[in-house]
Amino acid sequence: SGTVVEIGRHPIQPQPAPLMKLPLCFPRLLQSLALAGLIGGCAALRAEVTLATPFTDHMVLQRERKVPVWGGAAAGEKVTVEFGGQTKTATADADGKWRVELDAMPASSESRTMTVSGSQTAQPVKLDDVLVGEVWLGSGLSNMAMTVDRSNDVEGSKAAANLPQIRMFTEGSAAADTTQLLGKGTWVVCTPETVGRFSATAFFFGN
C-alpha cells in the first residue's frame, strides 16, 4: 500500500501549489480527473444529485486545463453545473452516473461558488470558496504521511502558515485491493491551526 499526496496552489503569486492528499494510485487530479476509480465515484444509486469525493468546499481546480466534474443522480436526471460564468449540462446514464467538462480557466484567487443542480433534486449542491490554480500530486509511503507536526521547527512553520491559497485534500479511505466507489476527504485551507496535519513534504513543496 502507499500514500498519494496531491499538492497545488493558486499561482498568481510566484509560489508552487495547494496541498492535497489522495488515495493509492490516483493520477493527477483535475488534469485527468475523469478517470475511473479510487475516489471517482459518488452515490450513483441515490436520487439526489451527488458529487465525487474530491469536490468539496475550498477545493482548487486546475488552471488552463479542461476540468471534469462528475457524480451521481437518478437515471435520466438532467444535471447542471455552474462555475465561473460557465454552465454545463449532462444527463445521468442508466447507472446514475454523470459527467461534464468545464472549459479551461485562467488562474484566479477569487473565492467562487460551484453550483450543481438536478432536474429531480429539490436543493442544489453548492461548493463554496473554490479557487483556480495549480494542483499537484505527490506519491510515496511514510515520506508523504509524515505531518508538519513531526517536522523540524514546528512552531515556526505554524506561525508562518497563514496561507489561505494553499489547500490540502486528505484521502482517508482504508487500503483496498480493488477499485472503490467512494472515498473520504475534504479540502482544508492552510492556517496555523490546520497546517500541523498537512503532509510535511507536500506543505514545504507547496510553500
Side-chain angles (χ1 to χ4, degrees):
S1 66
T3 301
V4 175
V5 178
E6 179 122 357
I7 52 181
R9 78 177 292 152
H10 173 260
I12 285 179
Q13 299 178 359
Q15 301 171 334
L19 311 178
M20 173 166 185
K21 187 175 180 182
L22 293 177
L24 183 64
C25 300
F26 199 84
R28 175 163 175 155
L29 181 71
L30 298 176
Q31 176 177 342
S32 52
L33 245 176
L35 38 97
L38 288 168
I39 55 176
C42 50
L45 300 180
R46 293 174 56 188
E48 294 290 310
V49 167
T50 56
L51 283 155
T53 305
F55 300 99
T56 76
D57 294 338
H58 314 302
M59 67 181 172
V60 180
L61 304 179
Q62 176 61 42
R63 66 169 179 153
E64 298 172 2
R65 300 275 184 172
K66 290 185 177 181
V67 178
V69 180
W70 73 93
E77 182 170 5
K78 180 180 178 181
V79 178
T80 301
V81 177
E82 299 172 86
F83 180 75
Q86 299 186 44
T87 300
K88 303 292 183 180
T89 60
T91 300
D93 65 17
D95 295 323
K97 298 176 181 178
W98 59 266
R99 178 182 180 273
V100 302
E101 261 191 3
L102 297 175
D103 298 331
M105 296 170 282
S108 173
S109 59
E110 178 186 356
S111 175
R112 291 181 285 189
T113 297
M114 177 181 287
T115 301
V116 182
S117 55
S119 59
Q120 301 176 41
T121 299
Q123 296 294 328
V125 178
K126 292 192 175 184
L127 306 180
D128 295 322
D129 187 30
V130 178
L131 306 183
V132 179
E134 287 293 334
V135 181
W136 295 88
L137 179 69
S139 63
L141 297 170
S142 58
N143 58 335
M144 289 296 170
M146 177 181 169
T147 61
V148 172
D149 269 338
R150 297 166 57 200
S151 65
N152 294 332
D153 191 23
V154 175
E155 294 308 315
S157 296
K158 288 183 176 180
N162 185 22
L163 301 167
Q165 291 183 6
I166 292 181
R167 285 103 190 272
M168 183 172 77
F169 180 96
T170 301
E171 189 4 85
S173 299
D177 295 328
T178 58
T179 298
Q180 301 298 297
L181 181 63
L182 294 173
K184 297 177 181 178
T186 58
W187 286 85
V188 177
V189 177
C190 183
T191 69
E193 293 73 34
T194 62
V195 72
R197 300 189 299 275
F198 281 28
S199 160
T201 301
F203 171 71
F204 292 118
F205 174 86
N207 193 31

